[in-house]
Amino acid sequence: MKKISLTGIKPTGLLHIGNYFGAIKPALELARDYDARYFIADYHALNIIKDPRELAANIRQVAAGWLAAGLDPDKVIFYRQSSIPEIFELTTQLMAFTAKGLMNRAHAYKSAVQENIKNNADLDAGINMGLFTYPVLMAADIILFDADVVPVGKDQVQHIEMAQDIVQAVNFNYKSEVLKVPQALVQENVGVVPGLDGRKMSKSYGNAIPLFCDEKTLRKLIMRIVTNSQAVEEPKDPATSQIYLLYQLFADEEEERSLANRYREGGMGWGEAKEELFRAANRELGPLRTRFNEIMANPAELDAILRRGAEKARPIATATVRRFRKAAGIE
Ligand code: TRP
């Protein structure tokens, strides 16, 4: 039997090329060898987004994004978290086995508290219980579908370790393997995707290139990449140039080598390097953008795909929750 891979994306904003290379593309590659279960983590986004129209648009856009990037809904179980009520039952079941102290140590919560300390605000300011208990909901997302591996970025590893702790507490208490212990799968070969300012590309830094922006915007954003003041004739170092680092994501090996040589020889200005990047990026993203727009233009079809995914997911979910109920004496 194939091992199970599971991951989710929180629909909190426009997908950007960091999400694509860091999460979506590697997850779709895994889907070739694993039994894949990928979902839209819409209740996670609710902790942050309270505007209903914005949330609805984000959910749609992330769902269409996965499909445009090549997710095959006949091969991958693809669903919205909110369509699987068992996730919320399992969350309650897991709550009883989750130490409050464990939640106190979660990075996202700790940094929110840190921010409050810095601003001289009340320690709890702006922190809802959804944020505080986020790792339990995420553990339920994972455990419910018997995931063996969870492809995630380094920032999520702590959450997977918490899920392991919680599973172990359950299994230890009932002296049986009620739930499966998941493993994080951090793709080491996926480096950090740099943003326009050279820091890690992230929605919260405002330095992202949206994955499905139109050609003109793509070009404009690439032209806005921050560079140093080296003159055209000076030789340049590809390894420290975010234009080059981004180019590597889109180019084949020969193209990479050729641009690296032009960097080292000198005589190429930043404007020209950006043109090369734009050409390579648009070559890959153009067809993706077309598919994305087609999917977005047919919301009924998109809903049907997600509904079918939820139908496939529900029986798996029900089985896990039942296993827990039985072990716990709640039948
Ligand atoms: N917390 C993840 C993030 O912010 C999203 C997520 C929610 C997730 N549930 C998950 C990822 C389950 C993997 C598995 O990126």
Side-chain angles (χ1 to χ4, degrees):
M1 238 179 33
K2 281 190 191 171
K3 293 216 170 206
I4 297 164
S5 152
L6 175 141
T7 198
I9 291 191
K10 223 166 31 176
T12 46
L14 291 182
L15 289 175
H16 55 68
I17 66 174
N19 301 130
Y20 178 60
F21 287 107
I24 296 177
K25 221 176 162 183
L28 292 177
E29 273 158 27
L30 271 186
R32 291 196 217 119
D33 304 322
Y34 284 77
D35 184 349
R37 299 162 182 191
Y38 297 156
F39 72 100
I40 324 286
D42 46 5
Y43 266 112
H44 285 285
L46 181 65
N47 291 327
I48 300 160
I49 298 181
K50 299 297 196 289
D51 179 308
R53 263 187 301 183
E54 186 186 348
L55 185 55
N58 284 345
I59 292 168
R60 203 157 274 294
Q61 182 265 139
V62 170
W66 274 107
L67 295 167
L71 183 146
D72 177 351
D74 290 328
K75 300 217 174 90
V76 174
I77 303 184
F78 182 53
Y79 54 95
R80 288 167 65 156
Q81 182 188 36
S82 57
S83 305
I84 317 292
E86 290 78 12
I87 291 177
F88 312 104
E89 180 168 356
L90 182 61
T91 300
T92 299
Q93 293 168 334
L94 299 181
M95 286 281 187
F97 290 85
T98 306
K100 174 173 176 287
L102 189 69
M103 298 297 97
N104 290 341
R105 290 194 289 278
H107 297 318
Y109 168 69
K110 268 181 26 185
S111 71
V113 173
Q114 243 13 73
E115 194 59 27
N116 283 337
I117 293 173
K118 206 179 83 196
N119 298 334
N120 260 330
D122 185 276
L123 289 187
D124 293 328
I127 300 175
N128 58 46
M129 285 304 287
L131 173 72
F132 185 63
T133 61
Y134 185 113
V136 189
L137 180 57
M138 178 159 164
D141 293 332
I142 296 167
I143 295 162
L144 190 66
F145 291 101
D146 303 316
D148 292 291
V149 298
V150 186
V152 282
K154 285 198 186 68
D155 61 321
Q156 296 295 317
V157 170
Q158 189 198 33
H159 289 144
I160 315 297
E161 289 168 355
M162 290 180 164
Q164 294 170 341
D165 282 359
I166 298 168
V167 170
Q168 273 148 1
V170 171
N171 290 350
F172 178 78
N173 182 71
Y174 298 118
K175 302 200 173 23
S176 79
E177 298 291 309
V178 184
L179 306 172
K180 197 192 274 181
V181 183
Q183 305 297 331
L185 192 70
V186 181
Q187 265 111 343
E188 296 298 344
N189 55 342
V190 197
V192 170
V193 177
L196 300 176
D197 58 0
R199 291 186 292 172
K200 178 184 174 189
M201 187 176 291
S202 161
K203 185 177 40 85
S204 49
Y205 292 155
N207 64 359
I209 302 176
L211 186 53
F212 302 112
C213 64
D214 60 43
E215 200 172 313
K216 243 172 90 186
T217 310
L218 179 63
R219 192 161 187 286
K220 205 172 73 195
L221 288 172
I222 287 175
M223 294 305 150
R224 222 188 272 162
I225 292 175
V226 178
T227 54
N228 63 22
S229 54
Q230 279 182 297
V232 172
E233 56 284 2
E234 281 180 73
K236 299 176 178 65
D237 178 15
T240 57
S241 156
Q242 66 255 35
I243 303 171
Y244 185 77
L245 297 177
L246 287 167
Y247 184 75
Q248 281 184 309
L249 296 168
F250 295 106
D252 63 33
E253 272 175 46
E254 189 171 332
E255 291 171 321
E256 271 180 46
R257 238 175 296 129
S258 142
L259 189 68
N261 285 338
R262 289 174 66 192
Y263 264 75
R264 294 195 188 98
E265 282 160 9
M268 183 184 65
W270 293 124
E272 232 177 296
K274 288 176 178 178
E275 283 297 346
E276 291 297 339
L277 170 58
F278 168 71
R279 259 197 293 279
N282 199 46
R283 181 180 65 193
E284 177 155 351
L285 300 183
L288 234 73
R289 182 193 304 134
T290 306
R291 263 198 311 269
F292 177 78
N293 290 335
E294 282 164 9
I295 297 164
M296 288 297 277
N298 194 346
E301 172 63 17
L302 182 57
D303 287 345
I305 289 173
L306 290 165
R307 216 171 26 246
R308 281 199 297 274
E311 277 161 21
K312 284 191 260 179
R314 287 295 294 284
I316 306 169
T318 315
T320 309
V321 167
R322 283 225 186 94
R323 241 164 36 232
F324 184 98
R325 283 177 162 240
K326 220 165 157 203
I330 298 175
E331 289 196 58

